[in-house]
Amino acid sequence: MRVPLSWLREYVDVAADATPEDVLAALVSVGFEEEDVHRFEITGPVVVGQVLSFEEEPQKNGKTIRWCQVDVNEEEPRGIVCGARNFAAGDKVVVTLPGAVLPGPFPIAARKTYGHTSDGMIASARELGLGDEHDGILILSELGVDAPVGTDAIALLGLDDVAVDINVTPDRGYAFSVRGVAREYSHATGAAFRDPAERDFAELQPGTGQTATVDDARPIRGRVGASEFVTRVVRDVDPSRLTPPWMIARLTLAGMRSLGVLIDITNYVMLELGQPIHGYDLDRLDGTITVRRAERGEKLTTLDGQERTLHPEDLLITDGSGPIGLAGVMGGGTTEMSESTRNVLIEAATFDPVTIARTARRHKLPSEASKRFERGVDPLIPFVAARRVADLMVKLAGGTLTDEGGALYTEVVVEGIELPAGFVQGLIGVDYTDAEITGALETIGAEVNPSTASGAREGGWFVIPPTWRPDLTDKWTLAEEVARIHGLDRIPSVLPVPPSGRGYTPLQQGRKRVADALAAAGFVEAPSFPFTTEEQNDLHASPSGAHLPSIRLANPLDGQAPFLRRSLIPGLLQTAHRNISRGLVDLAIFESGTVFTPEQDVAYGTDFIPPLAQRPSDETLAELNASIPPQPRHVGVLLTGSITPRQPGRAAEPADLGDALDAVRVIAAAAGAEIEVAQTTRAALHPGRAGVLTVRGEEIGYVGELHPQVSADADLPGRAVVAELDLDRLLTLAGERVVAESLSTFPAATQDVSLVVDAGVSAADLRAAVVEGAGPLLESIRLVDDYRGEGVGEGRKSLTFALRFRAADRTLTSAEATEAKMAGVAVAAERFGAGIRE
């Protein structure tokens, strides 16, 4: 929210010497965030001048310029060349003299043009930053401004004003107004606050004859779409009148363009009071206004020129012709105020925040109005805002306020809150006195009375929040207000003591161990967005590449990736491509994150939304959980480029399948599980270079080299190896407790064995047979060679394993180790016809 200081000073006493930084510091002390300070980019000398005379001089290019003599309260008039023709001798204008700088920046200097030396410039509204009007120069009399020649025009037009910019959090919608910010400044400094909404109730009555009707057949969560709808009629307005410069200056500093006096007035009051206002061309309305929900398939062209297909939840403003506006979001083009408008119907309403928020998001149509309505607008302000707009249209647009209008409203009831004695002190940790608590709550506008609740502790209070604070809903929010008003710096810095027995769950501990182990092994964690294409899901999540069900987002961030991922590999491929395109070609990256694995023929999603401000029941939570697909956490790794860079005396070592297997071993060790690897095939992996990962016979992932075509499609220049595991399932199979093995004090006996088998026998199956036969003395077995060629026969291969034997209670003899080895060979021979290579 950008607040011009001159505007702020109308409603709260800001010290004359207060700087914008002082004002921001005060607002920060009551919980706002400082954003920026905004000023007009203009410096003088810029003065009021009077055109004494001019000569029109046709030019060769067909243009006619005026050579003007302009009085700027100096000894001699200034000679200025001007291309505009909308002024006459005697008019007072704004003159920028040499040395001035206009927005752009556009420095002004005396310069030769059209055969004259132009000693300054007569400025238009756009050149001064006061709007988009550039058809002619600014005539002060047309603005209702008169000042002596030579007067500083920057101060005269409000161009010396400055605005402070604060970030307003979603729960404090009242601060989207000068009224709200002025009140908060008063809270911070104790300065006197003057509420612009305090007016005689009698003058706020809108009259009769234009009462709207609300016909909400489908309220959301039982809340009628419009609880208040005030209208007033102003006739005989003159939309051609110019908006006064002080209003344009304030609107500009507040971040809004000047769009003509009628629209400027409605925007001005919205910024001032926080109540969105809409003006209709009364002569273009067809009958009276009805507020209703849209019918499916209905269409509306909004003020931005877009035709929108409406949703049954959308709340509409309609007349006899049909929809004329999206309630609380944007008006329609058929009844907008224009240069031909003579009679105006003013609307000030209170709409349901949920309805407005959903409509604005559904149509991707955020507006200043919706921003306020979805956060909650003071329900007592529409009458004031409608009268304020009417008064300004009479004053600035020459209109006549009539007794036509109407008011549809319901009684405003604000639920009271029980605030027990001692609660604020116990929650905040500060020993506030009772007077400080009640004083803070009364300062923000709450009504505070002694509690009469049965069983209430002596000294408690019954608090009725002000109507402009819908965020105050319970005793906790009241306690926060007390802390905010008395200063957050009073809260002591005390580290909380965690209750015993708490901390990470076993599953969380396991995830953390795995991530830490991969990082320690040299991998870089690279989280990515969980969005991908259906084709990528099929390719990387299905072993065969067959189609799998995927969850499609209703409103994706990227229309080209509208599905939730079933695999982490697509995200890792995008990350690798992005790094390689920036020259980082040697990569070892990993990601740990959720994937989404919907089951076939299961309908997910629900239209049911539980009510706010109360904990859903166990049945409701179970229903909501059943409406979403399984979301297991996976861990994936990708390596490409060189695992060891080239260096003197040593060639670069490219990442290969062995490095991906090493990463799997790191994950297994951190999880405390034994992972078995066996050869497999997958659509996305290189034939013959893919492995399935199992724990206790259950598949939990895969490892392999990407198929060359997959790498090429991902724009990877060379080989890439990957692995992906179901981390949650891996940790579950591993168990909660990881037990480290004891270190033996007895020496090991090492031997090798080379077994010749058919080429179709997998190394994993052969290894399992040797392990089974060798028995408990076999401590470790590792495949070290796979030979195929001369000496082993056609269709055969030789697999060499390195064996390590050890006994827990004695030093093994060579004969005992050999006996165990041969027992393993015997099982391999029985199952696969394996023989020892000679």
Side-chain angles (χ1 to χ4, degrees):
M1 176 67 187
R2 292 162 59 162
V3 183
L5 293 191
S6 67
W7 206 349
L8 186 67
R9 285 187 166 97
E10 289 189 9
Y11 304 122
V12 67
D13 292 338
V14 180
D17 59 349
T19 65
E21 290 71 23
D22 294 335
V23 174
L24 283 171
L27 294 174
V28 167
S29 71
V30 287
F32 291 104
E33 295 179 12
E34 174 184 342
E35 289 286 338
D36 204 351
V37 175
H38 300 273
R39 296 178 171 86
F40 285 101
E41 298 176 356
I42 183 171
T43 58
V46 181
V47 301
V48 174
Q50 186 170 32
V51 180
L52 300 178
S53 64
F54 59 83
E55 296 178 8
E56 293 193 346
E57 299 180 356
Q59 303 298 310
K60 294 180 180 179
N61 58 8
K63 183 177 181 180
T64 298
I65 61 97
R66 287 181 173 182
W67 171 238
C68 307
Q69 298 300 311
V70 184
D71 180 13
V72 293
N73 196 29
E74 295 177 344
E75 292 183 1
E76 297 291 336
R78 296 255 184 172
I80 299 176
V81 173
C82 183
R85 307 182 65 184
N86 66 316
F87 61 93
D91 283 342
K92 288 185 177 179
V93 295
V94 177
V95 180
T96 58
L97 300 176
V101 179
L102 299 183
F106 179 43
I108 303 300
R111 62 189 183 94
K112 289 186 177 181
T113 181
Y114 295 110
H116 301 281
T117 298
S118 185
D119 202 11
M121 186 180 75
I122 305 175
S124 69
R126 188 169 74 180
E127 289 162 341
L128 294 171
L130 287 175
D132 295 329
E133 180 61 42
H134 195 57
D135 293 336
I137 64 171
L138 196 64
I139 309 298
L140 295 181
S141 61
E142 294 179 355
L143 301 176
V145 175
D146 190 18
V149 171
T151 300
D152 181 5
I154 292 179
L156 179 69
L157 300 177
L159 299 177
D160 58 345
D161 202 358
V162 59
V164 294
D165 193 357
I166 57 174
N167 179 38
V168 177
T169 52
D171 60 328
R172 301 175 72 180
Y174 67 94
F176 276 118
S177 67
V178 177
R179 178 196 184 208
V181 175
R183 180 182 281 111
E184 289 297 322
Y185 184 82
S186 173
H187 296 165
T189 64
F193 169 66
R194 297 171 292 279
D195 191 349
E198 289 185 358
R199 298 189 62 162
D200 182 24
F201 184 72
E203 68 179 4
L204 300 180
Q205 300 311 301
T208 59
Q210 290 290 344
T211 302
T213 302
V214 176
D215 181 19
D216 188 357
R218 298 182 299 276
I220 296 178
R221 301 182 185 175
R223 298 186 60 173
V224 175
S227 58
E228 193 167 0
F229 203 97
V230 179
T231 59
R232 299 198 79 124
V233 173
V234 178
R235 293 189 177 274
D236 301 323
V237 297
D238 181 3
S240 66
R241 287 197 181 186
L242 297 179
T243 305
W246 59 266
M247 180 176 283
I248 295 178
R250 288 180 175 182
L251 290 173
T252 301
L253 282 175
M256 305 190 84
R257 293 187 301 120
S258 175
L259 299 172
V261 65
L262 299 180
I263 298 176
D264 287 350
I265 288 171
T266 60
N267 287 337
Y268 185 85
V269 174
M270 177 185 67
L271 293 172
E272 183 176 69
L273 299 177
Q275 169 68 54
I277 301 288
H278 189 71
Y280 301 89
D281 188 326
L282 181 60
D283 299 323
R284 298 169 70 179
L285 281 174
D286 183 1
T288 58
I289 286 177
T290 299
V291 183
R292 63 170 174 83
R293 300 285 173 175
E295 299 298 332
R296 188 173 297 277
E298 252 186 317
K299 297 183 182 296
L300 168 68
T301 300
T302 47
L303 288 174
D304 58 0
Q306 298 294 316
E307 184 181 65
R308 302 181 184 277
T309 301
L310 304 176
H311 187 278
E313 279 190 354
D314 292 336
L315 192 68
L316 300 181
I317 309 297
T318 68
D319 65 1
S321 66
I324 58 173
L326 271 175
V329 179
M330 185 174 286
T334 59
T335 57
E336 68 175 315
M337 296 183 294
S338 65
E339 295 178 356
S340 62
T341 298
R342 292 296 175 265
N343 303 304
V344 176
L345 177 73
I346 301 164
E347 166 211 303
T350 300
F351 296 117
D352 172 42
V354 174
T355 294
I356 303 308
R358 290 188 182 181
T359 295
R361 285 157 179 74
R362 183 180 301 116
H363 295 283
K364 298 181 177 64
L365 194 58
S367 65
E368 290 292 331
S370 67
K371 181 167 65 176
R372 288 163 172 81
F373 278 126
E374 65 191 31
R375 288 164 170 80
V377 172
D378 184 356
L380 298 184
I381 208 70
F383 285 87
V384 179
R387 179 56 191 258
R388 174 69 165 149
V389 171
D391 290 343
L392 288 174
M393 286 188 175
V394 170
K395 179 180 179 180
L396 304 180
T400 301
L401 179 59
T402 71
D403 58 1
E404 300 171 82
L408 177 71
Y409 58 92
T410 56
E411 183 181 358
V412 176
V413 178
V414 180
E415 295 292 334
I417 303 169
E418 289 288 345
L419 182 60
F423 176 78
V424 175
Q425 296 91 329
L427 181 67
I428 305 301
V430 177
D431 291 330
Y432 298 111
T433 65
D434 288 355
E436 286 179 315
I437 293 173
T438 57
L441 295 176
E442 289 171 348
T443 294
I444 66 172
E447 180 182 335
V448 183
N449 297 298
S451 175
T452 59
S454 175
R457 290 178 56 185
E458 183 179 352
W461 302 276
F462 184 72
V463 182
I464 301 177
T467 55
W468 57 86
R469 293 298 303 273
D471 58 305
L472 301 181
T473 56
D474 50 42
K475 58 186 178 181
W476 289 274
T477 53
L478 293 180
E480 291 173 359
E481 287 300 295
V482 174
R484 185 176 68 88
I485 294 301
H486 287 299
L488 301 179
D489 56 325
R490 289 184 60 181
I491 302 176
S493 298
V494 179
L495 289 175
V497 179
S500 60
R502 300 293 180 90
Y504 290 126
T505 65
L507 205 58
Q508 290 171 331
Q509 292 175 352
R511 294 169 181 169
K512 192 172 186 301
R513 283 198 311 272
V514 169
D516 289 346
L518 285 171
F523 287 82
V524 176
E525 187 169 12
S528 61
F529 287 117
F531 312 125
T532 187
T533 64
E534 195 171 31
E535 292 75 14
Q536 288 290 305
N537 272 342
D538 294 343
L539 176 63
H540 293 285
S542 170
S544 64
H547 176 66
L548 294 173
S550 296
I551 296 294
R552 185 185 181 96
L553 296 172
N555 187 21
L557 288 177
D558 183 355
Q560 295 182 337
F563 291 89
L564 291 174
R565 66 188 179 190
R566 293 188 64 112
S567 167
L568 299 179
I569 301 304
L572 289 172
L573 289 174
Q574 289 183 352
T575 301
H577 168 67
R578 191 177 303 113
N579 280 271
I580 290 171
S581 67
R582 288 160 174 77
L584 304 174
V585 296
D586 300 327
L587 299 174
I589 56 178
F590 80 96
E591 179 178 3
S592 174
T594 55
V595 297
F596 305 83
T597 56
E599 299 175 5
Q600 193 76 41
D601 300 326
V602 176
Y604 295 100
T606 178
D607 293 330
F608 171 69
I609 299 178
L612 300 176
Q614 65 182 49
R615 188 184 189 279
S617 66
D618 292 341
E619 294 76 12
T620 299
L621 291 174
E623 180 183 347
L624 292 174
N625 286 331
S627 69
I628 59 177
Q631 300 177 34
R633 181 174 291 269
H634 283 199
V635 60
V637 299
L638 181 147
L639 301 99
T640 188
S642 298
I643 197 71
T644 301
R646 187 180 67 177
Q647 49 194 298
R650 184 174 180 178
E653 297 180 14
D656 59 18
L657 184 56
D659 298 303
L661 286 168
D662 285 341
V664 171
R665 295 186 186 102
V666 168
I667 294 170
E674 287 284 343
I675 295 181
E676 301 291 334
V677 184
Q679 194 172 48
T680 189
T681 58
R682 290 186 72 92
L685 300 183
H686 195 297
R689 300 177 188 173
V692 60
L693 306 175
T694 59
V695 174
R696 300 179 187 176
E698 182 176 332
E699 181 177 339
I700 51 92
Y702 63 89
V703 62
E705 179 182 326
L706 284 179
H707 193 288
Q709 187 59 51
V710 174
S711 293
D713 291 343
D715 292 328
L716 302 186
R719 173 187 298 175
V721 290
V722 297
E724 182 172 8
L725 297 84
D726 185 335
L727 183 56
D728 283 349
R729 190 61 189 150
L730 170 63
L731 294 171
T732 300
L733 292 172
E736 294 186 0
R737 181 174 297 179
V738 177
V739 180
E741 294 185 3
S742 300
L743 295 177
S744 175
T745 59
F746 295 99
T750 59
Q751 295 190 16
D752 291 345
V753 62
S754 296
L755 299 176
V756 179
V757 293
D758 290 338
V761 176
S762 74
D765 291 340
L766 186 62
R767 177 183 181 277
V770 174
V771 170
E772 181 181 337
L777 293 181
L778 180 61
E779 182 180 80
S780 170
I781 177 172
R782 182 165 56 90
L783 178 67
V784 296
D785 186 45
D786 182 340
Y787 174 75
R788 308 175 194 217
E790 185 178 350
V792 296
E794 185 72 22
R796 306 275 285 175
K797 63 182 177 181
S798 171
L799 300 178
T800 302
F801 295 93
L803 311 176
R804 185 172 69 237
F805 299 92
R806 195 192 310 265
D809 57 350
R810 67 188 188 280
T811 299
L812 284 179
T813 64
S814 176
E816 289 176 311
T818 300
E819 182 181 356
K821 178 183 74 172
M822 295 309 297
V825 170
V827 173
E830 179 182 350
R831 291 185 182 174
F832 305 110
I836 296 178
R837 181 182 173 189
E838 299 297 336

